[in-house]
Amino acid sequence: MSRYTKIQNRSQFIEYCLRRLGAPVIEINVEDEQIDDRVNDALQLFSEYGAEGSVRAYIGFTITQEVVDRGFIDFDQDTLGSGFSSDNILNVVRVLPINDSASSVNFMDVKYQMRLNDMWDLQNGGSGGLAQFEQMQQFLSTIDLKLTGHPQIQWSKAGNTLNIFGDISGTTGDLRVGSKIMMELYMTTDANLNGKIYNNIFLKEYATALIKEQWGQNLIKFEGMILPGGVQLNGRQILEDAKQEIETIRQRIYNEYDTPPDFFVG
């Protein structure tokens, strides 16, 4: 493989990591299953903390009778949109109701009357025109946010469930059968579909260090053993060097690759 050739799949990625450790000149005493485990560990950390290892997505969902009876959304049982897999969900950030209270059709509702008057003024060339209409829309949205707000949620990664705190009932609750919500969440980048993830320099270094650590752990039980020719195995030194490299690389991902925290202004 040319040094300018990009890594395109998992097999090429593993071969690259082993070459960094000295293969085929040096025999790397790590089994294939152990290598697969360490690569999976590297991908997991990169997905959870690396900005390039996850993507933000939005899923529309309709509350069903099963969700009402159960009291929460179960991503293993409830149907998601096409292209989404519950196994790839890292975190659910928030839930946005699509049917907000500002869209009431009750004739006696105050916000309904405000919208009706705005539309009348807009259609008949009233004062303010489109600018005033836009300001009123923002004002109504602010009222809806203050009085109704966004639902409070609790996401369980272990159970793959989403609890929405509020009145969830069949016909009269804030979230009832037929209500539509939009979930904002983070999902892992599918490495099998997107081979470009294997060219990330951090992922290369981190996976190599994890395989090196496994190599040291395998050799440490032979510490002090002298091979033919007077060669002595030093698995402890390999293990210590790998641990130091892993710690340094983890600090790098936290400082350089992690998504910055959101700032709230209010």
Side-chain angles (χ1 to χ4, degrees), residues 119-133:
M119 291 300 297
W120 176 265
D121 290 340
L122 184 63
Q123 293 176 0
N124 292 275
S127 60
L130 187 60
Q132 182 181 6
F133 178 76

Side-chain angles (χ1 to χ4, degrees), residues 57-111:
Y58 294 88
I59 299 179
F61 186 81
T62 302
I63 302 298
T64 62
Q65 186 62 51
E66 290 77 10
V67 173
V68 172
D69 296 339
R70 192 188 307 124
F72 57 87
I73 298 175
D74 189 333
F75 287 93
D76 292 329
Q77 299 184 26
D78 298 318
T79 303
L80 303 178
S82 59
F84 292 98
S85 173
S86 60
D87 296 333
N88 293 342
I89 298 177
L90 293 173
N91 187 26
V92 179
V93 180
R94 57 177 176 168
V95 169
L96 305 172
I98 297 178
N99 301 330
D100 62 87
S101 59
S103 60
S104 173
V105 295
N106 184 2
F107 183 77
M108 301 304 296
D109 186 78
V110 174
K111 284 182 283 189

Side-chain angles (χ1 to χ4, degrees), residues 1 8 14 28 51 55 74 96 111-112 118 145-146 154 171 176-177 194 232 235 238 252 255-256 259:
M1 179 187 298
Q8 299 180 358
I14 292 176
I28 310 301
V55 293
D74 189 333
L96 305 172
K111 284 182 283 189
Y112 179 89
D118 290 338
L145 179 62
K146 292 296 183 180
Q154 183 179 36
T171 57
R176 51 188 178 272
V177 176
N194 184 10
Q232 183 174 354
I238 296 176
R252 282 184 53 202
N255 298 330
E256 301 176 18
T259 303

Side-chain angles (χ1 to χ4, degrees), residues 10 39 55 94 128 154 172 179 195 204 216 236 244 263:
R10 184 185 180 97
V39 171
V55 293
R94 57 177 176 168
Q154 183 179 36
T172 61
S179 296
K204 293 178 181 178
R236 184 173 299 277
Q244 185 175 359
F263 293 94

Side-chain angles (χ1 to χ4, degrees), residues 14-266:
I14 292 176
E15 292 174 1
Y16 169 85
C17 294
L18 295 178
R19 287 197 303 271
R20 289 193 61 164
L21 293 174
V25 178
I26 300 175
E27 182 180 358
I28 310 301
N29 306 104
V30 183
E31 286 293 326
D32 293 340
E33 292 81 1
Q34 294 177 319
I35 295 176
D36 284 334
D37 290 341
R38 302 295 77 79
V39 171
N40 289 336
D41 291 342
L43 287 170
Q44 180 179 354
L45 183 73
F46 186 64
S47 297
E48 295 180 355
Y49 293 96
E52 297 180 9
S54 62
V55 293
R56 182 166 59 180
Y58 294 88
I59 299 179
F61 186 81
T62 302
I63 302 298
T64 62
Q65 186 62 51
E66 290 77 10
V67 173
V68 172
D69 296 339
R70 192 188 307 124
F72 57 87
I73 298 175
D74 189 333
F75 287 93
D76 292 329
Q77 299 184 26
D78 298 318
T79 303
L80 303 178
S82 59
F84 292 98
S85 173
S86 60
D87 296 333
N88 293 342
I89 298 177
L90 293 173
N91 187 26
V92 179
V93 180
R94 57 177 176 168
V95 169
L96 305 172
I98 297 178
N99 301 330
D100 62 87
S101 59
S103 60
S104 173
V105 295
N106 184 2
F107 183 77
M108 301 304 296
D109 186 78
V110 174
K111 284 182 283 189
Y112 179 89
Q113 291 294 327
M114 295 173 66
R115 286 179 175 270
L116 184 63
N117 292 333
D118 290 338
M119 291 300 297
W120 176 265
D121 290 340
L122 184 63
Q123 293 176 0
N124 292 275
S127 60
L130 187 60
Q132 182 181 6
F133 178 76
E134 176 63 25
Q135 292 176 358
M136 183 56 66
Q137 297 301 306
Q138 296 180 11
F139 179 65
L140 291 174
S141 298
T142 302
I143 292 178
D144 186 65
L145 179 62
K146 292 296 183 180
L147 298 181
T148 304
H150 298 315
Q152 298 298 309
I153 63 174
Q154 183 179 36
W155 160 250
S156 172
K157 183 174 177 59
N160 223 6
T161 58
L162 177 67
N163 287 280
I164 303 177
F165 299 106
D167 185 9
I168 303 179
S169 62
T171 57
T172 61
D174 297 329
L175 294 175
R176 51 188 178 272
V177 176
S179 296
K180 298 182 182 299
I181 61 175
M182 182 69 70
M183 294 179 287
E184 180 181 352
L185 46 83
Y186 282 90
M187 306 184 68
T188 60
T189 301
D190 194 332
N192 294 324
L193 297 179
N194 184 10
K196 295 180 181 179
I197 192 176
Y198 290 119
N199 288 288
N200 184 275
I201 187 61
F202 159 78
L203 190 59
K204 293 178 181 178
E205 295 179 356
Y206 188 59
T208 301
L210 290 180
I211 296 175
K212 183 177 181 179
E213 181 186 34
Q214 184 67 63
W215 184 20
Q217 290 176 341
N218 292 347
L219 292 180
I220 197 171
K221 63 181 180 180
F222 300 109
E223 186 176 6
M225 180 180 296
I226 300 178
L227 301 179
V231 178
Q232 183 174 354
L233 297 177
N234 192 354
R236 184 173 299 277
Q237 185 62 49
I238 296 176
L239 180 61
E240 294 299 326
D241 291 345
K243 287 183 176 180
Q244 185 175 359
E245 292 173 8
I246 291 173
E247 180 62 27
T248 301
I249 296 172
R250 283 185 174 178
Q251 291 301 319
R252 282 184 53 202
I253 192 174
Y254 300 149
N255 298 330
E256 301 176 18
Y257 289 86
D258 195 6
T259 303
D262 294 329
F263 293 94
F264 295 90
V265 179

